[in-house]
Amino acid sequence: MKQFPFSLRFSIPAILLMSGTILVGINIQQETSYSFQRVEEDVSGNARFAGEQISGILEYLYRRGNIEQAEIAISKMQTDVNLSLGLFYNEENRVLLATQYELRNRSLQQTPAAKNALAFTQVRENLSGQIILSEDKQKIWAIYPVPLPIDSGELRPSKAGILWLAYDISRLKQRAFRDTLYGSVTSTIGLGGFCILLWFFFEKTMTKRAEQIVAVSTKIAQGELNQRLNIQGSDELAQIASAFNKMANWIQTNTEALQASETALQQANETLEERVKERTIALSQQNNKLEETLHKLQHTQAQLVQQEKMSSLGQLVAGVAHEINNPITFIHGNIIHVEGYTQDLLDFVELVQQFYPNLTSEIQDWADEVEFEFLQEDLPKTINSIKIGTKRVSDIVLSLRNFSRLDESELKEVELHDGIEGTLLILQNRLKQELAIQVVKNYSDLPLVECYPGQLNQVFMNILANAIDALETSEQENQLRQITIHTSQVDDKWVEIAIADNGCGISPSIQNQIFNPFFTTKPVGKGTGMGMAISYQIITEKHGGQLTCSSTVGTGTEFTIQIPIQQKADN
């Protein structure tokens, strides 16, 4: 059962008050309704009596032609205080007689009886009167026929006038309401006195004793187990008090025994908790040490693997670059001579053609077969293309050598732009695929920076490769994919390299994890999660700089590198 939310001291008077109020309200409503009904019935009876009497008098007077007496009869109706207006209409519905003289000779539509036009027709047809109550129940209309004098040749009257009487019952209803209200107030006072007596009875027999039960129960709940109820009698509350005292005795007896057992158990628990706490602290310290050692081992292992990979890759790149450099240098050096020799041969052939314009048929056939004129035009272009290609290969070999930096494992002052350009050249094939990624370079004049060139190039490679991956996975269509590289000198001690892309961006929830070892946002098998962690270590630990990331989802990501121009001795 749902808990009752209020105390008995307030709820009992409130219930009595609400019940009395509801009963008084219902009584007033019913008595008022009965009073109004009696008023309507009384006035309707009076209206019926007056209508029948006056209509009979008017019929008699009109048959005798005594119009003056008819006017007097209508005038005497004003003595009825409830009659607001009396009108007598002829057969054409024009006012012949009226209690208000100014309404005479007016048509039905110009008088207050216009809304009863339909009733006028029915009364004339049936020659029977009607008593009508208005919609607002504030007026009663009596409508009675008055047969007019018979014309010559008629056996019964064919013309009938209408007597229309209007009774205003609003004042009578107001008086009835006042009388009803006065009687109801008297009843209310009596009911209020009864409720007060009833409340005193409940206060004496129930409320005070219930409060005593609540007070003693509260004290026992607070630990005062020696409290008992002192309620005499044979009613239900006295029986509850007797049962309550027995229960309190049982609780006090068992509680004392339980407290003794609890004291002993608490002492044992305290001793055990202390031992468990000491053991838990020791285990926690050991676990923390093991986790820290494991984390360092994993990080060190990943760094060693990555460094070994980069070292092997650097040796491979350097070896390939060295092996390619020799033959390509030979080819590029000799292509200049081949170009000169070819031009000399073409000049010689042109000179021969000038002095021997009439060639033999065999020479002419040979020239047509090999398309000699096209050969003269295309051969210089072909040699020039070969020269451009060998120059391109030489630049790539130089970039590979600069990127590997096997001969620069120690600190050295270098031009940072050369390392960036070499990295871009290695990634050129990915930049010019279907996506056609545009690289915008905003280079400033930078001094030579003391650094570890090979490791710094590795950072450039990791950041640029991640930027290309982000642009390749971007779902924005018809977007110009772009990487922006901005270099600047912060002050006389620091330089800054900012690499930004306009890809999909990084969610704020994971931005603080991108430099953690083994964390990657790439699918399984496409990333180790060590590239940015090693890059962060190279910048912060090896160079004493800063590597930060700022990203907005849907806009892009920017990595900012700040390193000192001169390294400290302890770095």
Side-chain angles (χ1 to χ4, degrees):
M1 185 174 180
K2 189 175 180 181
Q3 182 179 2
F4 193 70
F6 307 106
S7 65
L8 293 177
R9 171 161 290 174
F10 296 103
S11 59
I12 290 177
I15 291 173
L16 291 175
L17 180 61
M18 287 190 294
S19 301
T21 303
I22 293 172
L23 291 175
V24 169
I26 294 173
N27 181 61
I28 291 175
Q29 183 180 9
Q30 290 179 347
E31 290 297 328
T32 302
S33 177
Y34 293 154
S35 299
F36 286 174
Q37 186 176 359
R38 286 195 299 270
V39 169
E40 293 170 1
E41 291 175 353
D42 292 343
V43 175
S44 296
N46 294 337
R48 184 176 293 106
F49 176 77
E52 292 175 351
Q53 186 180 24
I54 299 300
S55 63
I57 292 173
L58 290 175
E59 179 183 0
Y60 172 76
L61 294 174
Y62 263 88
R63 284 184 178 181
R64 296 186 62 183
N66 196 343
I67 305 301
E68 293 180 356
Q69 290 296 326
E71 292 180 351
I72 293 172
I74 291 296
S75 300
K76 288 183 177 180
M77 294 178 63
Q78 294 180 354
T79 59
D80 190 347
V81 294
N82 295 324
L83 181 66
S84 61
L85 182 62
L87 300 175
F88 177 61
Y89 295 84
N90 63 8
E91 69 277 9
E92 295 178 354
N93 285 338
R94 297 192 71 84
V95 179
L96 292 177
L97 302 174
T99 56
Q100 295 180 8
Y101 186 79
E102 64 272 10
L103 295 178
R104 293 190 178 189
N105 296 323
R106 291 189 181 183
S107 64
L108 175 62
Q109 299 302 324
Q110 295 176 335
T111 62
K115 60 181 67 177
N116 300 127
L118 179 60
F120 276 40
T121 303
Q122 295 174 351
V123 168
R124 281 196 176 94
E125 291 177 353
N126 301 327
L127 291 178
S128 176
Q130 291 186 12
I131 303 297
I132 301 175
L133 179 64
S134 64
E135 292 182 358
D136 58 0
K137 296 185 178 182
Q138 299 299 315
K139 293 181 180 180
I140 291 178
W141 298 305
I143 306 173
Y144 279 84
V146 178
L148 296 178
I150 300 174
D151 294 335
S152 60
E154 290 182 341
L155 298 178
R156 55 180 297 178
S158 61
K159 300 177 182 179
I162 296 295
L163 175 64
W164 182 81
L165 304 177
Y167 291 86
D168 186 357
I169 61 175
S170 60
R171 291 193 300 274
L172 296 176
K173 286 190 173 182
Q174 290 176 0
R175 186 184 305 162
F177 177 74
R178 288 196 298 270
D179 294 341
T180 302
L181 186 61
Y182 176 77
S184 298
V185 168
T186 304
S187 301
T188 301
I189 294 173
L191 181 61
F194 173 74
C195 291
I196 292 173
L197 293 176
L198 191 62
W199 176 66
F200 277 120
F201 171 75
F202 280 113
E203 177 74 12
K204 183 67 176 177
T205 60
M206 287 184 58
T207 306
K208 289 185 177 180
R209 297 199 294 174
E211 287 180 350
Q212 184 181 356
I213 294 174
V214 172
V216 173
S217 299
T218 303
K219 290 181 179 180
I220 290 178
Q222 293 174 350
E224 300 180 18
L225 301 180
N226 58 346
Q227 297 292 322
R228 298 295 182 268
L229 291 172
N230 184 19
I231 296 177
Q232 304 298 325
S234 59
D235 58 355
E236 286 79 1
L237 287 178
Q239 294 175 9
I240 291 174
S242 176
F244 182 88
N245 290 334
K246 293 179 180 179
M247 180 183 66
N249 292 330
W250 183 85
I251 290 175
Q252 185 177 9
T253 302
N254 287 275
T255 300
E256 292 174 353
L258 182 62
Q259 287 176 347
S261 300
E262 185 178 356
T263 302
L265 180 62
Q266 185 176 3
Q267 293 176 352
N269 285 338
E270 289 176 355
T271 304
L272 180 61
E273 286 177 359
E274 187 66 26
R275 293 178 181 177
V276 171
K277 185 177 180 180
E278 293 175 356
R279 185 60 178 165
T280 302
I281 293 174
L283 290 175
S284 178
Q285 292 175 350
Q286 293 179 0
N287 287 337
N288 291 337
K289 290 181 180 179
L290 288 174
E291 288 180 1
E292 184 178 357
T293 303
L294 179 61
H295 181 74
K296 289 181 178 179
L297 286 174
Q298 290 177 341
H299 187 57
T300 303
Q301 182 182 13
Q303 286 182 332
L304 290 175
V305 171
Q306 190 71 13
Q307 290 176 359
E308 185 65 25
K309 287 183 179 179
M310 293 304 299
S311 176
S312 301
L313 179 61
Q315 293 177 2
L316 177 62
V317 170
V320 172
H322 178 73
E323 293 299 326
I324 295 176
N325 187 56
N326 288 334
I328 203 64
T329 302
F330 172 76
I331 295 172
H332 187 68
N334 288 314
I335 199 67
I336 299 174
H337 302 292
V338 172
E339 184 179 19
Y341 298 155
T342 302
Q343 189 60 44
D344 291 341
L345 288 174
L346 293 175
D347 293 341
F348 175 74
V349 171
E350 184 177 357
L351 184 63
V352 170
Q353 288 178 343
Q354 291 178 359
F355 285 97
Y356 298 97
N358 298 322
L359 301 176
T360 63
S361 59
E362 291 82 359
I363 295 175
Q364 187 63 44
D365 292 340
W366 177 84
D368 293 339
E369 182 179 355
V370 299
E371 298 180 354
F372 186 71
E373 293 181 358
F374 173 76
L375 190 87
Q376 285 180 305
E377 180 181 355
D378 191 59
L379 183 58
K381 296 179 181 179
T382 303
I383 293 176
N384 187 53
S385 297
I386 295 173
K387 186 167 67 173
I388 293 173
T390 55
K391 179 65 168 61
R392 175 74 172 162
V393 174
S394 297
D395 292 341
I396 293 174
V397 170
L398 180 60
S399 297
L400 290 174
R401 292 182 60 188
N402 290 336
F403 180 78
S404 62
R405 299 280 188 178
L406 289 180
D407 55 341
E408 300 176 8
S409 59
E410 300 298 329
L411 282 171
K412 183 179 181 182
E413 291 186 344
V414 297
E415 172 63 53
L416 293 182
H417 294 156
D418 291 342
I420 297 174
E421 290 296 328
T423 306
L424 289 174
L425 188 61
I426 294 173
L427 296 172
Q428 193 70 22
N429 66 315
R430 294 190 63 188
L431 294 171
K432 291 190 175 181
Q433 290 179 351
E434 296 180 358
L435 298 177
I437 299 173
Q438 179 183 4
V439 179
V440 179
K441 306 171 186 176
N442 298 324
Y443 291 163
S444 302
D445 292 334
L446 297 182
L448 295 178
V449 177
E450 186 180 21
C451 63
Y452 297 93
Q455 296 184 10
L456 200 57
N457 288 343
Q458 181 182 352
V459 175
F460 295 152
M461 173 67 76
N462 289 334
I463 296 176
L464 287 169
N466 286 340
I468 295 172
D469 291 339
L471 292 173
E472 287 178 345
T473 57
S474 177
E475 298 179 355
Q476 302 180 16
E477 299 181 357
N478 301 323
Q479 176 194 17
L480 176 62
R481 291 170 169 83
Q482 191 177 79
I483 295 176
T484 303
I485 304 174
H486 179 80
T487 62
S488 61
Q489 183 172 351
V490 180
D491 50 31
D492 58 348
K493 295 183 179 180
W494 292 80
V495 294
E496 180 179 280
I497 305 98
I499 302 174
D501 65 75
N502 61 345
C504 56
I506 302 173
S507 173
S509 61
I510 62 173
Q511 284 187 26
N512 59 347
Q513 304 181 54
I514 59 176
F515 296 125
N516 293 343
F518 307 108
F519 177 80
T520 180
T521 59
K522 298 177 183 178
V524 177
K526 297 201 67 177
T528 63
M530 290 302 300
M532 296 311 302
I534 292 177
S535 299
Y536 186 81
Q537 184 189 24
I538 290 173
I539 296 299
T540 57
E541 297 181 10
K542 295 292 291 185
H543 291 86
Q546 297 178 356
L547 176 59
T548 59
C549 172
S550 62
S551 180
T552 302
V553 176
T555 301
T557 305
E558 181 179 44
F559 285 91
T560 303
I561 303 170
Q562 288 188 350
I563 58 174
I565 298 174
Q566 295 292 329
Q567 293 292 318
K568 297 180 181 179
D570 55 354
N571 284 344

